[in-house]
Amino acid sequence: MDTTAPLPLRKQRDYRLLWSARTISITGSEVSKLAVPLTAITLLTASPAEMGLLTAAAPLPALLFGLQSGAISDRLARHRPLMIACELVSCVAAATVPLAWLFGVLTVPWLVIMALVIGTAGVMFKSANFPYIAAVVGPSQRTEAMAGFQASYSVASVSGPGLAGILVQTLTAPFAVLAEALSFLASALLLRSIRTPEHNEPTRSSSMWHDIVEGLRTSLTNPTLRAVLGAGVTINFFAMAYIAVHMLYMVNTLGIPKGLIGFLTALSGLGGLLGAWLTSRLAKRYGENRILLVAVLFFPLDILAVGLVTGPLWVKLTVLGLTGVLTGVIVVAFSTCMGVITLRDTPTALRGRVNATMTFAVQGVLALGGLTGGLLAEFVGLRPVILISAAGIALSTLWIWLSPLRPNAPHKQRHHTPPPPAQSSLPHALTHLIESKRHSLI
C-alpha cells in the first residue's frame, strides 16, 4: 500500500488547469449575469414577467435534460471531450448576442433562446465534470478540491461584477456578453491541455429509462442524500423567486446605483473566498455535518435584509454589504459539503446519474422559482415576493435538522448506503455530510 502523501493541490498541474478553466468560465458567466439583465431592462424595456421568463430560461434545461445527461455521462469512457464540446457550444451561443444587437435584431426572446442553449450545454457539462473530478483528484484531497472549486465562484463574484461594470460602460451591455463567449473558449482550451488519463468503466444498461430510475432510487432512498436534496430544492426555488425580482427592487425601490450592485456582489464573493478557506480547515476539526447544520440557519439572512432595510444609502450599503459577506461564507460552506457527500456516498458507476438527479431537482426547480417570482410580483409587488422568498428558504432548516445529519444521529446514513471502495480512504472528518446551494445559487 502506497502511503506517500500526495502533492498539494496547488502543485498538481492538471488540477490547476481544471480549476483555472472553471474560474475563467464562471467569471465570464458572472459578467453575463449583470450584462444580460441590464440589456433586457435598459435596452429592450423588459417587463417583470419577461424578466421572470429570462431568469427561468437558464435552469429550464435541467428539468428537460438533467436526468438523461447523467445516464449519458455514466456510459462514457472519457468525460473530458464532452466537457470541451459543451464549452464550445456555449461560446457560440453567447457570441450571438452582440452580433444580434449590431444588426438590430436582438429581442428578449433571443436572449431567452441564448440562455436555453447555454443552460443545456451547462447541464451536460456538469454531468461529465462531476465524475471527472474523481479522475483528477484523489479521495483524501476532495474536500479541499471542492472548496477550491467553490472558491472559483467567489473569485468570479469578486472580479466578474467589476469587469461587467467596466465592459457595460465602455462597450454597452450586449457587447459585454462577448466576455462570456471568450471565457467559454478559454475554458475549452485549458481543458484540452489536461493530461490525466481517465479509467472510467462505462455503464452498460438495457435502456435509458432503467438508468434514470436507478439514479433516482439511489438519491431518494439514501436518507442523507434525500435530506440534502430536499433542502437544495427548497432553497433554490425561493432563491430564484428572489433573483427574478431583486435587481428591479434594488434599482427602483431601494435606489441602489447600478454600479454599486456590482460592488455588493463582489463583497459576497469575498465572503465566498473566506468560506472556502474556512471550510477546508473546519471540516478536518468538526466534520461537514456540523458545518452544514450551522450554515443552513443563516441562508435567509441576506434576502431578509434586502426586504427590510431602509434609511439613507450608506445605511443600506452597510447592511447589505455585511450580510452579503456572511452569505458568501455560508453558500460556499454548504455547497462544498454537498459535493463531498455525493462523491463519497455514491457508487462509482452511479456518480453521473446521482449528480444528474441532484441537478434535475435542485437546478431544475430554479425555472419554476424564477417564473413564480416574476409573475407573483405582477400581483403583489416586489417587496412581498422578497419577504416570502426569505421565509421559504428558512424551511430548508427542517430538512437538515430532521435528518440523520442532526447531532444525535451523525452516523445513521452509513447503514443505508455504504461508501464505495474508492472512497474508503477518506479521512474520518469527511464521513459526515452535505448538500448544495446555488446562486449559481448553488
Side-chain angles (χ1 to χ4, degrees), residues 164-241:
I166 294 172
L167 293 175
V168 167
Q169 290 294 327
T170 58
L171 301 177
T172 73
F175 284 96
V177 181
L178 187 60
E180 182 179 29
L182 294 176
S183 72
F184 285 130
L185 178 61
S187 174
L189 294 174
L190 288 169
L191 290 172
R192 191 176 182 276
S193 300
I194 295 177
R195 299 171 183 168
T196 299
E198 293 187 68
H199 302 290
N200 186 54
E201 185 67 30
T203 297
R204 297 178 181 177
S205 176
S206 58
S207 69
M208 176 71 73
W209 176 249
H210 176 272
D211 290 350
I212 290 173
V213 168
E214 194 171 6
L216 285 167
R217 184 186 300 116
T218 301
S219 301
L220 296 176
T221 56
N222 180 296
T224 302
L225 293 176
R226 184 172 62 242
V228 295
L229 180 60
V233 167
T234 302
I235 289 168
N236 280 7
F237 176 84
F238 288 103
M240 206 60 172

Side-chain angles (χ1 to χ4, degrees), residues 56 61 121 125 145 192 260 282 341:
F125 183 96
R192 191 176 182 276
L260 291 180
L282 292 177
I341 188 175

Side-chain angles (χ1 to χ4, degrees), residues 104-119:
V105 296
L106 184 64
T107 61
V108 173
W110 188 297
L111 293 177
V112 169
I113 293 172
M114 180 272 294
L116 286 172
V117 172
I118 293 179

Side-chain angles (χ1 to χ4, degrees), residues 290-313:
R290 294 179 183 177
I291 295 174
L292 186 68
L293 288 162
V294 173
V296 73
L297 297 174
F298 291 92
F299 260 110
L301 182 61
D302 189 40
I303 297 177
L304 191 62
V306 171
L308 297 179
V309 68
T310 59
L313 180 60

Side-chain angles (χ1 to χ4, degrees), residues 28-42:
S29 296
E30 286 295 320
V31 172
S32 184
K33 281 181 184 179
L34 186 63
V36 170
L38 285 178
T39 299
I41 293 171
T42 62

